[in-house]
Amino acid sequence: MNSRRAFLVWGVAVLAYVLAVVQRSSLGVSGVDAQDRFAVSAAVLSTLAVVQIAVYAGLQIPVGIALDRVGPRKLVLLGAALLVVGQAVVAFSPTIGPAIAGRVLVGAGDAMTFISVIRLVPMWFSGRILPQISQWTGNLGQVGQILSAFPFAVLLHTAGWTPAFGVAAAASLVGLLLAVAFVRNGPVPVRTDTIPLPLPHSWRGAFHTFGHALRRPGTQLGFWSHYVTQSSGTVFSLLWGVPMLRGLGYTPSEAAGFLTVIVVTGFVAGPVLGVLCARFPLRRSNLVLGIVLALGVVWTAVLLWPGHPPTWLLVLLVLAMGVGGPGSLVGFDFARSFNPVGSLGSANGVVNVGGFLAAFVMMFLIGTLLDVVSGATGRTVFDWENFRVALTVQYVVVGLGVVMLLLARRRTRRDMHAQDGIRVGPLWVALVARLRKKAVQ
């Protein structure tokens, strides 16, 4: 545990995740090109992204159950294979139909990658480094967004649609081969004998494990934490950010620069949040709520600004979304804290549904509203005034999530009080009691 081999296995697994993010976010920088190539409306274009995210979110729980049954290695490999095939289909799609089928495969492959890598982490690492490794996993994965914002976008605008998506597919093939060679479930000690994985012995047992994980209030707290922090940045990065910035008059390269700021911010904020979660585990939900508040304030300023919002305010917006990405990983920290190791796959699957569920709902609603408003006013679809109306759906979707997060936090508190024999007092009292019991045991 925490050995050089652990870092090698983790590093190759993270590379697979980086390549999955490249495939996931490739549509975000090619949305305008996709509309031109396939000659579709904003609502249909949103379907191209919504289907991908819907498949991703819908597979999280089945993948989580499978993780607890067969371990992460097989799913990392299967996910990489699906990404290769999916992007190849998109590369050669002459119409929107095959492209949607290709994005379905991309969503399925992507769905298997991140939570498999997260499930791999506690198999190879232990102690206070765990929250930090989890944060670095999410942050390094977002390098894929930079790769799609610049090298992929440059290739798309110089060589064309088919070469760009073909190269993306080839990159995932390289990641697949490396994962075959190096990714192992582990841990594998120096001795010849191995430590068995804490996996159920049957699929029935895996479903039973999932049921327990789903019912735990701590898992639900992780779900809603992920829901409220990740969704806004996902919607912006995967589909509507570049068209919105184009509607504000920014060039494709300038729009890509804004996306890069999101990733760079995550690199800075992620390790800080990891340290804060490790040192102050009793204040993690407050961190989540603070991030949501910051996002709400900046989005409100952007949408209410007379005329076009200034560049400095948009920079503040992408900075806030950049913090939201690593902030969503706090949800997985909740899952790890309130679930035994053997059910972490299921718990992580439940958590990971959160942000993507909110994202695909907002993506579709935004696309629909863009068409409705542009039809009513006669403005072009990607005009800023249309986005000013369409983007307000975030307040409804995220607002619901905040209410549910507070309710889940209350249920988590009551559950811990009951388990630890404490009738009154705040959540931190029960947490301290639980930590003391574990120390004695």
Side-chain angles (χ1 to χ4, degrees), residues 248 250 254 258 305 308-318:
L248 287 170
Y250 293 94
E254 290 170 338
F258 279 102
W305 194 275
H308 287 190
T311 299
W312 65 264
L313 184 56
L314 293 173
V315 170
L316 283 181
L317 175 64
V318 294

Side-chain angles (χ1 to χ4, degrees), residues 52 55-56 59 63 79 82 103-113:
Q52 172 191 336
V55 170
Y56 181 101
L59 285 178
V63 169
L82 289 173
R103 295 308 285 188
V104 166
L105 294 176
V106 169
D110 190 17
M112 298 178 184
T113 307

Side-chain angles (χ1 to χ4, degrees), residues 339-410:
N339 285 274
V341 174
S343 65
L344 274 184
S346 297
N348 287 338
V350 172
V351 170
N352 209 29
V353 170
F356 291 97
L357 172 64
F360 80 71
V361 170
M362 288 195 289
M363 281 180 181
F364 179 75
L365 292 178
I366 290 170
T368 301
L369 283 174
L370 284 173
D371 282 337
V372 170
V373 176
S374 64
T377 61
R379 293 188 291 258
T380 58
V381 174
F382 295 151
D383 186 272
W384 166 240
E385 294 303 321
N386 298 342
F387 273 107
R388 195 194 295 271
V389 176
L391 289 167
T392 57
V393 302
Q394 296 179 97
Y395 294 97
V396 178
V397 176
V398 177
L400 170 66
V402 170
V403 172
M404 298 304 294
L405 185 150
L406 294 173
L407 293 175
R409 185 170 69 170
R410 180 179 298 178

Side-chain angles (χ1 to χ4, degrees), residues 149-218:
F150 283 105
F152 176 82
V154 170
L155 186 60
L156 177 67
H157 296 136
T158 55
W161 183 278
T162 298
F165 280 92
V167 169
S172 277
L173 179 59
V174 173
L176 171 61
L177 297 176
L178 289 173
V180 169
F182 294 105
V183 173
R184 295 291 182 272
N185 284 335
V188 181
V190 177
R191 305 186 310 272
T192 57
D193 59 309
T194 60
I195 299 176
L197 289 171
L199 301 176
H201 296 294
S202 67
W203 284 105
R204 182 178 179 181
F207 278 96
H208 184 72
T209 297
F210 162 73
H212 281 290
L214 181 62
R215 288 192 294 270
R216 290 187 182 100

Side-chain angles (χ1 to χ4, degrees), residues 5-14 117 121 125 133 136-137 140:
R5 184 175 184 187
F7 280 98
L8 174 63
V9 172
W10 172 71
V12 175
V14 167
V117 179
V121 169
F125 297 94
I133 291 293
W136 275 112
T137 299
L140 290 171

